[in-house]
Amino acid sequence: MQKTDLSKEQKHYYRSKPNPELVTIAAANYLAVEGSGDPAAAPFSAKIKALYAAAYNAKKICKLQGNDFKVPALEGLWWTPGGEQLTEVPKQEWYWKLLIQLPAFVTVNDCKQATALAGNKKLPYLDQLGFERFPATLAVQLLHTGSYHDETPSLQKLYGYIDQHALEASSPHREVYITDPNKTPAERLKTILRVDVRSK
């Protein structure tokens, strides 16, 4: 049985360079959950566990149907209610949406069944998981290497590129977590920082 690996099929999506680049991102489906507040607080990690539990159950369901896949990297959208930069407001006022991209063959019903099966683990927040589709878009991205707490210079470089090329952001900034923070030293973490853009 062939196993779909989005990280190999979508090179622009899961790979980037240290300097900003303009890329085309295809439309895609996601398993998602929203939240707000300090990412160091308990709800953030609990929602990650719920998301992964459902994603791995979706993998099992699809494998039984003859469509196996590798569960892709976790992603996060980050924003503030007033549009300020994250560094300008307390973490308690941050908003975020956690995402895991799904291959095209994973259906809404597959995700509903996967979430129901995850209920056997009695995890909180399973009822908040949803299936979402994001449209194709242009985006500017770069690879940040280092701690999540040190992203500000990289984000400034990203938004500087957007301004210099007569573009404007059309989405909150997205982070694609290429490395696992539980297994990787902070200084070696690799995160793709991405912002959807359009012409001014």
Side-chain angles (χ1 to χ4, degrees):
M1 181 188 304
Q2 186 173 355
K3 179 185 288 189
T4 297
D5 186 344
L6 295 179
S7 67
K8 293 180 179 178
E9 293 182 2
Q10 300 181 9
K11 294 183 179 180
H12 281 311
Y13 198 99
Y14 293 101
R15 297 179 193 174
S16 191
K17 303 173 183 177
N19 292 318
E21 57 183 341
L22 184 66
V23 297
T24 299
I25 302 297
N29 299 328
Y30 298 83
L31 194 61
V33 62
E34 288 193 26
S36 61
D38 190 338
F44 186 80
S45 58
K47 289 186 178 184
I48 290 177
K49 289 181 180 178
L51 195 64
Y52 269 111
Y56 275 98
N57 277 342
K59 168 186 167 67
K60 292 176 184 176
I61 291 168
C62 290
K63 187 174 182 179
L64 291 173
Q65 299 169 352
N67 289 313
D68 194 11
F69 68 93
K70 180 180 178 181
V71 175
L74 179 71
E75 305 178 36
L77 287 170
W78 297 86
W79 71 95
T80 60
E84 305 93 344
Q85 295 295 322
L86 295 179
T87 53
E88 297 175 359
V89 300
K91 292 180 180 179
Q92 290 78 8
E93 297 178 19
W94 290 5
Y95 281 74
W96 35 266
K97 179 181 287 188
L98 300 169
L99 306 156
I100 293 177
Q101 189 184 170
L102 301 169
F105 55 74
V106 183
T107 67
V108 175
N109 286 335
D110 290 333
C111 289
K112 288 181 179 178
Q113 186 179 354
T115 302
L117 290 172
N120 295 331
K121 297 184 178 182
K122 303 187 185 303
L123 294 172
Y125 304 116
L126 288 170
D127 60 331
Q128 297 183 20
L129 300 183
F131 181 92
E132 294 193 27
R133 182 167 180 80
F134 283 66
T137 184
L138 285 176
V140 175
Q141 66 181 28
L142 59 74
L143 178 66
H144 170 79
T145 300
S147 170
Y148 304 136
H149 302 293
D150 298 330
E151 288 180 356
T152 299
S154 293
L155 285 170
Q156 289 173 339
K157 185 188 295 187
L158 195 68
Y159 284 104
Y161 179 98
I162 291 171
D163 289 339
Q164 291 166 11
H165 290 79
L167 300 168
E168 62 181 5
S170 59
S171 73
H173 94 263
R174 181 185 296 247
E175 301 184 353
V176 184
Y177 306 108
I178 303 302
T179 47
D180 184 344
N182 297 315
K183 301 177 181 178
T184 309
E187 67 274 11
R188 294 175 58 190
L189 289 171
K190 294 186 181 298
T191 308
I192 295 175
L193 304 179
R194 178 182 297 142
V195 178
D196 295 349
V197 295
R198 60 194 171 209
S199 298
K200 287 185 177 178

